[in-house]
Amino acid sequence: ENTGEASLLLTENEGKSQVIKLYHINTKPDERIEKVLEKINSPYIMPHIKGGIYDERTYEILPYFAKGDLTKHIPMNSAFIESVVVTSVNEGLKVLHDNNIIHRDIKPSNLFLSDDEKIVVLGDFGISSLLDSNVSVRATSMSRTFGYSAPEASSGFVSKESDYYSFGITLLHLAIGQDPFAGMNDMQILYSTINKPLEIPSTVSPKLQQLIRGLTVKDRNNRWGYDEVSRWLNNEEVEIKERRTYKGMKPYNFMNNRYFGLDEISMAFAADWDNAMKHLYRGLVDKNIVQYGEEYANQ
């Protein structure tokens, strides 16, 4: 099987099936992330058995998952999602984040089911990023999977919270059995991600709906993370902090939509920068945000 960065070869070694990931010429994984991954010993993180160079091409040897990735098992029932998928991905993300790795591409095709179907394993770290130990947000290239990437990724920034947003979209995909953004082009998906609340069909169980909503809050500072998901798994009451509302404030009208506050306005501008520049040059934004106070306007 060929991917954008490598050829995947199913092989056998001493009676055991394995996968060789043979990277294309002039393509290789991030050595810093590889070194961190080599030291991780977790059932929730795909192990890297060994690697090297063959015919000027970098290769890795990975375990073979006979059950495949999660796209081969959808739709899934809520009980399996809650007991196996949620627990595994939550613990896997904690391991990565404790090692300052942001996965950046959590989606069903990068999650693999163990042979005994008791855990899910996180794999494919091709676009993962490494955080400095004292930094919580990282500027990155724009490589991402539309729909699964968090709103802040549209501005070229990712954080540990970004992985949890992708986790939420992944759970919705597994529950409804198809891509939540099927039939939409990239710009439509981006606009929806930034500006619209996520639509969750009533066929999804109420408990799982709550988890998905908590994970997909657009403001990353209010988004659920490891602690909230763990409490949800323990059937504790966990608050969902939605986007702020501005009572009595005048909305900002941009491209036939209404926005409140700097967060909403700036994200809408990011999605349509050509028209946004016209609004900025005319000073239209200044007149609107002054209503929130002088300090806010200065910001």
Side-chain angles (χ1 to χ4, degrees):
E1 180 178 318
N2 285 305
T3 70
E5 62 179 4
S7 297
L8 302 176
L9 308 169
L10 179 59
T11 68
E12 189 175 288
N13 182 26
E14 297 180 352
K16 184 178 181 181
S17 294
Q18 295 178 330
V19 173
I20 294 178
K21 185 173 185 178
L22 185 61
Y23 286 86
H24 300 320
I25 294 290
N26 298 324
T27 302
K28 62 180 181 179
D30 187 321
E31 292 182 1
R32 297 180 308 151
I33 292 177
E34 289 296 304
K35 288 180 180 179
V36 177
L37 289 172
E38 287 172 5
K39 297 177 182 177
I40 292 177
N41 182 18
S42 167
Y44 306 108
I45 304 299
M46 184 180 291
H48 289 55
I49 301 169
K50 63 179 179 180
I53 305 292
Y54 175 79
D55 197 20
E56 300 183 2
R57 295 172 66 179
T58 301
Y59 73 88
E60 300 173 320
I61 297 181
L62 306 171
Y64 172 62
F65 292 90
K67 299 285 185 178
D69 62 59
L70 296 191
T71 60
K72 298 174 175 61
H73 302 274
I74 55 176
M76 292 180 172
N77 64 62
S78 295
F80 186 83
I81 292 175
E82 292 178 20
S83 62
V84 177
V85 180
V86 175
T87 299
S88 296
V89 177
N90 195 39
E91 293 299 328
L93 287 178
K94 185 178 191 305
V95 171
L96 289 181
H97 295 165
D98 285 348
N99 285 276
N100 292 319
I101 293 177
I102 306 172
H103 189 285
R104 291 184 58 199
D105 204 18
I106 296 293
K107 57 185 179 182
S109 60
N110 287 337
L111 303 174
F112 299 84
L113 190 61
S114 64
D115 291 346
D116 60 8
E117 300 188 5
K118 291 184 178 180
I119 65 171
V120 168
V121 180
L122 279 64
D124 198 340
F125 303 92
I127 64 171
S128 297
S129 294
L130 195 63
L131 286 174
D132 293 331
S133 57
N134 60 342
V135 173
S136 61
V137 177
R138 163 122 190 216
T140 71
S141 69
M142 299 302 279
S143 297
R144 62 192 187 278
T145 301
F146 279 101
Y148 295 88
S149 58
E152 60 268 19
S154 65
S155 300
F157 293 91
V158 293
S159 63
K160 296 174 181 178
E161 294 83 8
S162 304
D163 279 344
Y164 275 91
Y165 182 93
S166 304
F167 184 14
I169 301 297
T170 294
L171 292 176
L172 179 57
H173 186 158
L174 298 177
I176 65 177
Q178 65 177 22
D179 182 346
F181 302 96
M184 298 171 63
N185 62 39
D186 287 350
M187 287 309 298
Q188 289 171 326
I189 294 172
L190 181 61
Y191 180 82
S192 179
T193 298
I194 294 171
N195 298 300
K196 293 186 176 181
L198 183 65
E199 294 184 9
I200 305 178
S202 58
T203 53
V204 179
S205 71
K207 183 181 179 184
L208 192 55
Q209 283 193 42
Q210 183 198 29
L211 175 60
I212 294 170
R213 294 221 177 277
L215 290 171
T216 56
V217 170
K218 296 189 186 298
D219 183 347
R220 72 177 186 87
N221 296 304
N222 292 331
R223 195 174 299 149
W224 285 14
Y226 177 80
D227 291 338
E228 288 82 2
V229 175
S230 298
R231 288 166 54 200
W232 178 89
L233 284 167
N234 289 328
N235 296 313
E236 297 179 29
E237 197 66 40
V238 189
E239 180 186 4
I240 297 177
K241 297 180 180 179
E242 298 287 1
R243 185 181 287 185
R244 290 176 295 177
T245 57
Y246 298 93
K247 294 182 179 179
M249 297 294 184
K250 293 180 180 178
Y252 188 82
N253 296 309
F254 178 66
M255 304 310 294
N256 300 317
N257 283 284
R258 295 148 57 91
Y259 302 96
F260 293 87
L262 286 181
D263 291 345
E264 293 191 7
I265 295 171
S266 61
M267 294 304 278
F269 278 12
D272 188 356
W273 187 238
D274 288 340
N275 283 305
M277 284 192 291
K278 299 173 185 177
H279 284 242
L280 288 168
Y281 290 148
R282 294 171 187 162
L284 301 176
V285 185
D286 300 353
K287 297 174 183 177
N288 178 270
I289 62 176
V290 75
Q291 66 182 322
Y292 298 101
E294 184 177 350
E295 183 177 346
Y296 193 84
N298 288 337
Q299 178 189 348

